[in-house]
């Protein structure tokens, strides 16, 4: 029954979204308010039905209804309820349904506000129709099995995790949130004028969500994959970074459009590009082309269809842009030595960085497609290309903050930045003296982080809550950089084979292995070690998940917000001895606090500007 | 400066930025592309020990030996075999008879020193490059 209900909801969504874009465009072109109101109502109705579809799927998972193929493939009666529900979007079909749901939610949100943009609503409706039909035709989560089995195949244990459970909603909030920006951009192109404030609000919302989504993914990788790494330049990670970089450029450029009315064409280009990268990311992850711990293992046919959809949508939008570009041509040249000039430079550097990441991610795929040679591009490439481009960006950011719109006064800026510069230099000298850093780059990174934090705090001190979002976000970047530099410069590790009663020493602390026990969890069997240090106990585990018989490590992390100690239980060595690894990670929590602050900053800006709509 | 010159200067600078990016890319590329080979490829092509490469295949059954922190195993594509030496913790999903990808340096034509052994994300997963290579040799079998 749930299968029929779900499919029915999907059909209604297609119907209402079609009605939505037909009435939206017709209403806009013929200027009939009743049609425009109809479009808004259709938008809300299709949201009701996507919610219905999604609720149906979640219910099926909650009830362990194995008559649905999707539930059978990805769930198990003994899984904890949270992971049963999260399993709804932990697979290709379910996550695509989540994708469509967010698309639909965005459309519903677009119907509120002082003035509803009919063209934007129409474009959004077209997107919903296309993706719902794609979902229905190629990845229907409601496919039924004639004779329901009694037990499911369970969810990949790597996904049975809190962090990964909420990672997709935030990530898709970002990816799909940019559909609103895309729709507004197309609407602007069709109209010949941009509603920059509205576009900025949506950009901030989408970017904020995407930032959190990426942060959650990185945090999950850190504690779950067992190596203490937080970013691997994995193609799937890059797939989320690319729209993020583009979106970061967009939120700055759209502000220039809002304040100065300049850089309109660039803003529209970025708006279209960001959504293009979102779609590209969706394609990459689901295409089965990527070898990764994280990719959905899928058939290339689906990937090809998404690629075709992507190509069509992007081509049409850029053709439209070029046809109407003349309407957005700037009258006045940009004043380079000003805030808007630096914002332009900001977007240039971000896009250059984006180019390096895109190339590094796509090159192996292209090469393999053309010549059949398998090649991989790892961290060293990205460190040599992306990082040098980000350095001038971060150094100049506080300058951009201090500069006025339309022109600058060198002496004034220098005066305002001097205290922070002094503090930063003092800090760097202190580090040099106390710690003898082994890497020039990372020492520079500490300085850079300190520079961003100091300038942001100084700005808040002087300007209180004005432009608070900007200060918080920039401070977040600084804290993030400090985190990376800290763990790189001062990180340490120790490995050893221990039997009960043995000790390991790391950074002056002694870790005592009290005991190793075995036991049963809800759907796994575990082997748990008890490492005592100071007053605390770390309990790293190895788990054997049923029914897949998959072995997984659960690391144990002790943190005080500034330093993490990370314990991994390794393989049994025989003779009542186990392998252990302990990692000492100073400042690593700041990596995710930094991301969180960036997201918060965007939300603050969003909140303070919402009254305008 | 005249507006036209300003615009030109601006575009020139933008070109410089992108050119800088391109330069960095080309620079980094030479050293950082890691090619993938099967044990047969290693035997047939002369690969210098200095290159960082990836090898992949199936973990030959009965060849995994632990020696303290080090572990040795053999990787095979049913035609040829490479001995691999690795220092560190193996990923949980590493198993005999399953696909594996290791990145590191060739010590000689028989011996490989792995710096990283790649984890798979579930026990039925076969890294695409390994799958492709096995399929090409007609040695592909569906795992149970």
């Amino acid at each position: 029954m749930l299968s029929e209900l779900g499919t029915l909801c999907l059909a209604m969504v297609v119907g209402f979204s079609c009605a939505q874009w037909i009435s939206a465009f017709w209403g806009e072109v013929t200027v009939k308010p009743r049609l425009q109101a109809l479009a808004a109502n259709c938008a809300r109705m299709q949201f009701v039905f996507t919610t219905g579809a999604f609720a149906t799927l979640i219910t099926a998972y909650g009830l362990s209804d194995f008559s649905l193929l999707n539930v059978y493939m990805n769930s198990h009666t003994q899984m904890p309820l949270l992971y049963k529900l999260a399993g709804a979007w932990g697979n290709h079909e379910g996550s695509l349904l989540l994708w469509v749901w967010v698309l639909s939610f965005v459309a519903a949100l677009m119907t509120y506000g002082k003035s509803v943009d009919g063209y934007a609503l129409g474009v959004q409706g077209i997107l919903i129709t296309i993706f719902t039909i794609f979902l229905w035709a190629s990845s229907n989560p409601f496919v039924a099995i004639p004779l329901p089995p009694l037990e499911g195949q369970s969810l990949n244990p790597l996904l049975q995790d809190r962090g990964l459970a909420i990672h997709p909603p935030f990530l898709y909030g970002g990816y799909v949130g940019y559909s609103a920006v895309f729709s507004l951009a197309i609407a602007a192109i069709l109209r010949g004028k941009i509603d920059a404030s509205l576009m900025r609000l949506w950009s901030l919302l989408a970017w904020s969500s995407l930032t959190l989504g990426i942060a959650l993914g990185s945090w999950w990788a850190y504690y779950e994959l067992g190596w203490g790494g937080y970013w691997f330049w994995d193609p799937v990670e890059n797939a989320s970074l690319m729209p993020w970089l583009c979106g970061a450029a967009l939120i700055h450029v759209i502000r220039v459009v809002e304040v100065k009315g300049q850089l309109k064409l660039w803003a529209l280009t970025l708006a279209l590009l960001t959504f293009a990268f979102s779609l590209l990311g969706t394609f990459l992850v689901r295409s089965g082309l990527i070898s990764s711990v994280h990719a959905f293992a899928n058939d290339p046919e689906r990937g090809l269809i998404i690629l075709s959809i992507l190509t069509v949508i992007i081509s049409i939008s850029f053709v439209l842009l070029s046809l109407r570009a003349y309407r957005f041509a700037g009258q006045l040249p940009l004043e380079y030595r000003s805030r808007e000039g630096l914002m332009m430079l900001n977007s240039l550097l971000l896009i250059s960085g984006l180019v390096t990441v895109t190339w590094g991610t796509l090159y192996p795929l292209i090469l393999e497609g053309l010549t059949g040679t398998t090649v991989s591009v790892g961290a060293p490439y990205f460190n040599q290309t992306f990082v040098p481009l980000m350095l001038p960006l971060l150094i100049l950011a506080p300058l951009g903050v201090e500069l006025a719109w339309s022109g600058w006064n060198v002496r004034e800026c220098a005066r305002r930045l001097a205290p922070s510069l002094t503090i930063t230099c003092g800090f760097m000298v202190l580090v040099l003296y106390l710690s003898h850093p082994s890497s020039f780059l990372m020492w520079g990174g500490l300085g850079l982080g300190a520079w961003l934090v100091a300038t942001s705090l100084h700005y808040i001190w002087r300007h209180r809550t004005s432009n608070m979002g900007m200060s918080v976000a920039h401070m977040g970047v600084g804290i993030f950089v400090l985190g990376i530099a800290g763990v790189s410069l001062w990180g340490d590790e120790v490995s050893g084979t221990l039997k009960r009663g043995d000790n390991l020493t790391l950074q002056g602390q002694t870790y005592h292995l009290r005991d190793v026990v075995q036991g049963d969890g809800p759907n796994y069997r575990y082997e748990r070690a008890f490492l005592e240090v100071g007053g605390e106990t770390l309990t790293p585990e190895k788990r054997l998940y049923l029914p897949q018989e998959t072995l997984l490590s659960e690391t144990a992390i002790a943190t005080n917000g500034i330093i993490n100690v990370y314990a991994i239980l390794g393989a049994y060595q025989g003779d009542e001895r186990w392998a252990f690894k302990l990692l000492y990670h100073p400042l690593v929590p700041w990596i995710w606090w930094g991301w969180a602050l960036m997201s918060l900053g965007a939300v603050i800006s969003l909140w303070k500007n919402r009254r305008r709509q | 400066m005249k507006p036209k010159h300003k615009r030109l200067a601006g575009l020139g600078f933008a070109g410089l930025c992108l050119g800088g990016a391109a330069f960095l890319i080309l620079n980094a590329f030479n050293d950082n592309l890691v090619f993938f080979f099967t044990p047969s490829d290693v035997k047939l092509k002369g690969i210098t020990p200095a290159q960082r490469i990836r090898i992949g295949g199936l973990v030959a059954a009965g060849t995994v030996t632990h020696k303290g922190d080090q572990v040795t195993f053999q990787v095979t594509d049913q035609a040829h075999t490479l001995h691999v030496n690795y220092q560190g913790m193996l990923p949980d999903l590493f198993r005999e008879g399953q696909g594996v990808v290791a990145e590191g340096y060739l010590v000689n034509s028989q011996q490989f020193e792995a710096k990283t052994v790649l984890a798979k994300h579930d026990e039925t997963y076969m890294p695409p490059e390994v799958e492709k290579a096995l399929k090409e040799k007609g040695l592909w079998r569906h795992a149970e």
Side-chain angles (χ1 to χ4, degrees):
Chain A
M1 193 205 70
L2 286 176
S3 168
E4 286 82 13
L5 186 61
T7 315
L8 177 67
C9 287
L10 289 182
M12 298 297 274
V13 171
V14 175
F16 276 108
S17 59
C18 278
Q20 176 187 330
W21 56 264
I22 292 174
S23 53
F25 281 118
W26 199 352
E28 277 295 320
V29 169
T30 57
V31 195
K32 287 210 172 78
R34 286 182 68 178
L35 276 176
Q36 292 170 329
L38 177 64
N41 285 327
C42 287
R44 292 171 194 169
M45 280 308 285
Q46 58 85 20
F47 175 60
V48 167
F49 282 103
T50 35
T51 309
F54 199 55
T56 308
L57 189 64
I58 294 190
T59 310
Y61 270 89
L63 295 174
S64 288
D65 181 355
F66 296 122
S67 67
L68 284 181
L69 178 65
N70 192 259
V71 181
Y72 166 66
M73 304 270 311
N74 298 294
S75 195
H76 193 275
T77 50
Q78 285 174 319
M79 265 196 335
L81 182 64
L82 174 65
Y83 302 135
K84 280 185 189 168
L85 300 179
W89 58 75
N91 59 79
H92 168 73
E93 294 80 4
S95 69
L96 203 54
L97 181 58
L98 177 63
W99 209 95
V100 170
W101 183 85
V102 182
L103 200 60
S104 160
F105 181 50
V106 166
L109 280 181
M110 283 166 89
T111 61
Y112 293 99
K114 275 196 290 211
S115 55
V116 179
D117 192 326
Y119 281 130
L121 207 57
V123 175
Q124 194 74 12
I126 294 178
L127 289 174
I128 297 172
T129 310
I130 293 176
F131 280 98
T132 312
I133 292 179
F134 170 69
L135 176 73
W136 194 359
S138 78
S139 323
N140 191 350
F142 300 110
V143 169
I145 315 175
L147 296 167
L150 290 171
E151 188 58 271
Q153 294 187 333
S154 195
L155 190 64
N156 183 342
L158 274 177
L159 302 179
Q160 290 184 34
D161 176 273
R162 260 180 293 258
L164 215 57
I166 44 170
H167 156 74
F170 280 109
L171 199 67
Y172 290 177
Y175 275 165
V176 185
Y178 279 111
S179 67
V181 175
F182 175 79
S183 302
L184 284 170
I186 300 286
I189 292 170
L190 292 174
R191 281 218 167 79
K193 71 184 184 73
I194 309 179
D195 184 347
S197 310
L198 188 59
M199 204 184 279
R200 180 163 170 254
L201 287 181
W202 277 107
S203 307
L204 284 169
L205 185 63
W207 190 82
S208 159
S209 187
L210 187 60
T211 305
L212 276 182
I214 296 177
L216 285 166
S218 161
W219 183 53
W220 171 83
Y222 175 76
Y223 70 75
E224 186 60 40
L225 294 181
W227 306 318
Y230 49 84
W231 189 261
F232 305 93
W233 293 109
D234 190 82
V236 167
E237 289 173 321
N238 295 344
S240 60
L241 187 63
M242 294 189 283
W244 187 87
L245 289 169
C246 208
L250 179 61
I251 50 182
H252 291 90
V253 172
I254 196 75
R255 183 79 179 127
V256 177
V257 178
E258 203 181 3
V259 172
K260 299 278 310 179
Q262 291 178 303
L263 297 181
K264 287 181 186 161
L265 262 183
W266 186 219
L268 288 173
T269 310
L270 287 175
L272 298 178
L273 263 183
T274 312
F275 190 55
F277 276 109
S278 295
L279 291 177
L280 181 67
T282 309
F283 158 68
L284 277 179
V285 169
R286 293 161 198 282
S287 60
L289 290 176
I290 296 182
S291 169
S292 155
V293 296
H294 180 248
F296 291 105
N298 260 307
D299 66 281
E301 195 186 278
R302 282 174 185 162
L304 231 60
I305 300 180
I306 300 184
L307 182 62
S308 320
I309 295 177
L310 193 169
T311 314
V312 166
I313 292 178
I314 299 313
S315 317
I316 295 182
S317 50
F318 274 103
V319 164
L320 279 174
L321 179 63
S322 45
L323 286 176
R324 290 284 214 152
Y326 66 91
R327 295 272 231 135
F328 300 102
Q331 269 71 45
L332 300 159
L334 197 71
E335 174 61 53
Y336 296 135
R337 289 184 286 181
S338 63
R339 185 181 269 185
E340 62 265 28
L342 248 81
M343 301 274 246
M344 179 66 203
L345 180 60
N346 155 300
S347 63
L348 262 179
L349 287 169
L350 280 170
I351 297 306
S352 304
L354 174 61
V355 166
T356 65
V357 173
T358 310
W359 185 243
T361 312
L362 293 182
Y363 180 78
L365 300 174
I366 297 172
L367 188 68
E368 184 166 346
L370 291 178
T371 67
T373 324
T374 319
V375 95
S376 65
V377 175
Y381 162 80
F382 294 98
N383 291 333
Q384 289 173 24
T385 55
F386 183 71
V387 172
L389 287 168
M390 292 299 109
L391 292 177
L393 179 72
L394 296 178
I395 295 172
L396 291 176
L399 182 63
V401 165
E402 293 299 337
L403 285 180
W405 295 105
S406 310
W408 73 351
N409 181 330
V410 182
R411 192 162 299 165
E412 187 58 33
C413 287
R415 198 178 65 81
R416 288 189 221 148
L417 290 173
S420 306
L421 190 59
T422 322
I423 294 178
T424 306
C425 291
F427 175 67
M428 286 174 86
V429 165
L430 200 67
V431 166
L432 193 62
Y433 180 64
L434 287 177
S435 161
H436 305 292
S438 51
S439 158
F440 178 71
L441 179 66
M442 288 300 161
W443 175 67
L446 280 179
L448 198 56
W451 170 235
L452 284 165
V453 173
T455 49
S456 304
L457 286 173
H458 191 205
Y459 192 92
I460 296 178
W461 172 285
R462 278 177 292 131
H463 297 263
R464 300 295 147 160
T465 57
S466 171
N467 279 328
M468 177 80 127
M470 170 191 77
S471 304
V472 169
H474 288 181
M475 190 161 65
V477 179
I479 291 182
F480 166 70
V481 173
L482 283 173
I484 294 182
V487 72
S488 176
L489 277 177
W490 299 314
D492 196 7
E493 69 174 55
V494 70
S495 332
T497 315
L498 301 177
K499 60 182 192 297
R500 291 183 182 83
D502 277 350
N503 292 336
L504 263 182
T505 319
L506 181 64
Q507 292 280 326
Q509 295 263 35
T510 310
Y511 297 81
H512 174 78
L513 179 62
R514 177 159 61 86
D515 199 2
V516 181
V517 302
Q518 299 206 337
D520 284 305
N523 56 340
Y524 55 84
R525 209 175 149 61
Y526 65 77
E527 188 167 70
R528 185 179 294 162
F530 291 83
L531 277 169
E532 284 178 343
V533 57
E536 277 189 67
T537 310
L538 290 165
T539 56
E541 292 179 15
K542 270 237 183 304
R543 292 181 186 173
L544 186 67
Y545 277 84
L546 315 160
Q548 308 103 313
E549 305 265 314
T550 312
L551 197 62
L552 215 64
S553 272
E554 284 288 315
T555 58
I557 304 177
T559 179
N560 61 2
I562 300 179
I563 301 176
N564 274 3
V565 172
Y566 187 105
I568 311 164
L569 173 63
Y572 182 59
Q573 305 279 306
D575 201 30
E576 294 294 309
R577 302 177 88 94
W578 287 266
F580 280 92
K581 194 168 189 174
L582 288 171
L583 302 173
Y584 175 77
H585 279 171
L587 294 190
V588 102
W590 289 11
I591 294 177
W592 301 293
W593 284 118
W595 281 93
L597 280 176
M598 285 189 237
S599 181
L600 181 64
V603 169
I604 292 175
S605 282
L606 179 63
W607 187 252
K608 290 174 112 230
N609 284 305
R610 82 198 183 289
R611 289 258 166 73
R612 301 205 203 143
Q613 292 305 315
Chain B
M1 248 207 247
K2 277 210 267 204
K4 190 170 87 168
H5 291 163
K6 251 197 158 171
R7 204 161 278 162
L8 234 65
L11 278 170
F13 187 73
L16 204 73
C17 270
L18 290 171
F23 167 74
L24 287 170
I25 290 176
L26 292 172
N27 208 26
F29 242 40
N30 286 328
D31 301 319
N32 291 311
L33 284 183
V34 181
F35 288 89
F36 172 83
F37 301 102
T38 60
S40 302
D41 291 331
V42 170
K43 191 109 177 134
L44 296 171
K45 309 180 187 176
I47 301 172
T48 60
Q51 253 182 305
R52 192 178 176 104
I53 59 166
R54 283 188 179 187
I55 56 129
L58 298 174
V59 181
T63 60
V64 181
T65 334
H66 292 266
K67 260 189 312 240
D69 211 2
Q70 307 241 5
V71 66
T72 55
F73 54 93
Q74 291 176 20
V75 173
T76 178
D77 56 357
Q78 313 292 59
H80 288 104
T81 311
L82 261 183
H83 296 256
V84 180
N85 187 42
Y86 176 63
Q87 182 152 4
M89 280 191 180
L90 286 172
D92 295 314
L93 298 171
F94 174 89
R95 211 172 297 178
E96 293 181 359
Q98 299 277 18
V100 70
V101 172
E103 190 171 314
Y105 299 92
L106 213 54
V107 175
N108 55 53
S109 63
Q110 304 276 35
Q111 180 76 24
F112 186 78
E113 179 73 29
K115 294 287 173 214
T116 334
V117 176
L118 295 189
K120 304 167 289 167
H121 66 138
D122 69 65
E123 69 293 341
T124 59
Y125 178 73
M126 172 72 67
E129 49 258 27
V130 175
E131 176 179 330
K132 192 182 86 150
L134 289 176
K135 274 187 171 151
E136 274 169 10
K137 295 195 167 54
L139 298 165
W140 181 244
R141 284 190 304 262
H142 276 285
E144 57 275 0

